[in-house]
Amino acid sequence: MTADTAGERRTRPGSLLRHRDFRLLWIGETTSGVGTAVTSVALPLVAVTTLNASAFTMGVLGAAAWVPWLFLGLPAGAWVDRLACRPIMVACDLVAMLAFVSVPVAAWLGALSIAQLLAVALVSGAANVFFSTAYHTYLPSLLSTADLVRGNAVLQGSEAAANVAGPGVGGLLAQAFGAVTGLLADAVSFAVSAACLLSVRTREPRQVAAGSRTTTLRQEVREGLRFVARDPYLRVFVCFGAVSNLVFNGVQALLVVFLVRVVGLDAGSVGLVFALAAVGGVAGAVMAGRLADRLGTARAMLLLVLGGPPFALLIPLATLGRLGLAACVLGAMVMVGASVGDNIIIGSFRQAYTPPELLGRVTASMRFVLFGTIPVGALLGGALGTLLGVRPALWVLLAVGSGVGSILLVGPIRRHRDLPTGPRQVDVVGFPVELP
């Protein structure tokens, strides 16, 4: 069954895994998610324990993976709308695989440096720009509109589960064999993802050939940006996401430094803390659909973005004692769970709401802004950690982050039980037209 034949009939989450092509996508992305979760611990540990990186250097390293969004994000959306998504995703998997293989090879040759880690972060980040844009554009070609929330919940739930296992595995690998070994696991996971994508049988709707289009790449990029800027829902989601990413990626840049150098945890314990925190992501993925069904998508999303972030203020309370670590893990679990839940609802809304011919550009336009603030946030976190100390910097960032959800109260979302569903009508220049 494909999106074209499924209509609007809604299937149960479990039955989605009997959909062969969705199952292959799920297996590939879950495997890749485990590898990425391993790297989320292994790569910072390589920098901190092997290369003795400073707090500011960690901020620069955290920023490097997201800088490509500033340069490639907008044209990536236009190209994804012109080309088939699946070949783009396979190529990106292979590029990322080679980038991560280079780190253990350099380490074994005694040539590893911070410069190489930065280069790997930039290359893998560039691959992620195209992969992520294509991935979020590709899913509606496999599933019906009615199944998008549940499909996203299955995919993000598995990603959250991978985040439970991955950091723990990464910490154990780092403790037993050295931090660079964990990066081999990520390289293998990208190979598995590419193999699964190559096995998918569903063919996407034929794209208009680039040479036959009457608009230029620049005009198409502009259409995506203007669609987002003029839409009252997408516009407020972009503002909320941009500020959230700015703040919480400043936190992310400091977290490993905080746990290792301030709290005093070893590599295995750092992985365990990340794994326990990721349990919240599993809960958020499981609850997102249920909350949306019971409360409505708009109300469920507001509950998550307003209620989750304040719990993150428990993170800077971490100490080596059980109570201090328990408070830190609880705060991280609730924050991660709320983030996964609201991402599922917002992402599904965007996929169903945006006209298919604009989906790649709208996705890229939003992510250009959303992810463009991530390197700034990582640098901000590193700078604050250097100026104030790591724990005080976390207090400042998380205090700001606890109120970020209030941005969504400015737009029309607060007046609705459910977010609008179904593609919007579009006029001849690609702008949204209100339905009667």
Side-chain angles (χ1 to χ4, degrees), residues 173-376:
L173 286 174
Q175 188 133 349
F177 305 108
V180 294
T181 305
L183 299 181
L184 279 178
D186 201 6
V188 171
S189 75
F190 281 115
V192 172
S193 175
C196 288
L197 286 168
L198 287 170
S199 301
V200 170
R201 293 174 183 167
T202 301
R203 293 297 176 259
E204 304 162 60
R206 185 179 298 275
Q207 304 293 320
V208 177
S212 65
R213 289 173 179 258
T214 59
T215 55
T216 65
L217 190 68
R218 179 177 296 181
Q219 289 171 325
E220 292 172 16
V221 167
R222 190 180 299 121
E223 283 181 7
L225 283 170
R226 293 171 74 177
F227 187 93
V228 173
R230 293 189 176 195
D231 188 273
Y233 295 96
L234 298 178
R235 184 171 61 234
V236 74
F237 282 139
V238 165
C239 293
F240 160 71
V243 178
S244 294
N245 285 344
L246 178 74
V247 172
F248 289 110
N249 280 276
V251 174
Q252 183 71 24
L254 295 175
L255 203 51
V256 171
V257 178
F258 173 67
L259 293 173
V260 172
R261 293 185 180 163
V262 178
V263 180
L265 300 183
D266 57 29
S269 298
V270 171
L272 180 60
V273 169
F274 274 72
L276 291 174
V279 171
V282 178
V286 171
M287 293 302 297
R290 297 178 183 178
L291 286 173
D293 288 341
R294 177 166 295 187
L295 303 178
T297 52
R299 293 176 183 175
M301 187 264 303
L302 287 175
L303 174 65
L304 291 167
V305 301
L306 294 173
F311 280 86
L313 290 167
L314 295 171
I315 292 174
L317 297 175
T319 64
L320 278 177
R322 289 184 179 179
L323 184 60
L325 283 178
C328 172
V329 169
L330 175 62
M333 285 178 66
V334 176
M335 180 185 72
V336 171
S339 177
V340 169
D342 74 64
N343 281 338
I344 288 171
I345 295 173
I346 294 172
S348 301
F349 160 74
R350 183 183 65 245
Q351 289 168 336
Y353 180 82
T354 306
E357 67 275 11
L358 282 170
L359 184 54
R361 281 168 284 170
V362 167
T363 299
S365 296
M366 293 182 70
R367 288 177 168 238
F368 169 74
V369 180
L370 297 178
F371 293 167
T373 62
I374 289 178
V376 178

Side-chain angles (χ1 to χ4, degrees), residues 131-158:
F131 185 96
S132 179
T133 303
Y135 173 67
H136 286 86
T137 306
Y138 183 60
L139 187 60
S141 70
L142 294 183
L143 299 179
S144 68
T145 298
D147 283 332
L148 283 176
V149 170
R150 296 177 187 276
N152 279 308
V154 170
L155 290 169
Q156 293 205 29
S158 297

Side-chain angles (χ1 to χ4, degrees), residues 42-54 58 61 114 117 261:
L43 191 63
L45 283 174
V46 170
V48 171
T49 62
T50 303
L51 300 175
N52 198 33
S54 66
M58 292 300 292
L61 184 61
I114 289 292
L117 292 186
R261 293 185 180 163

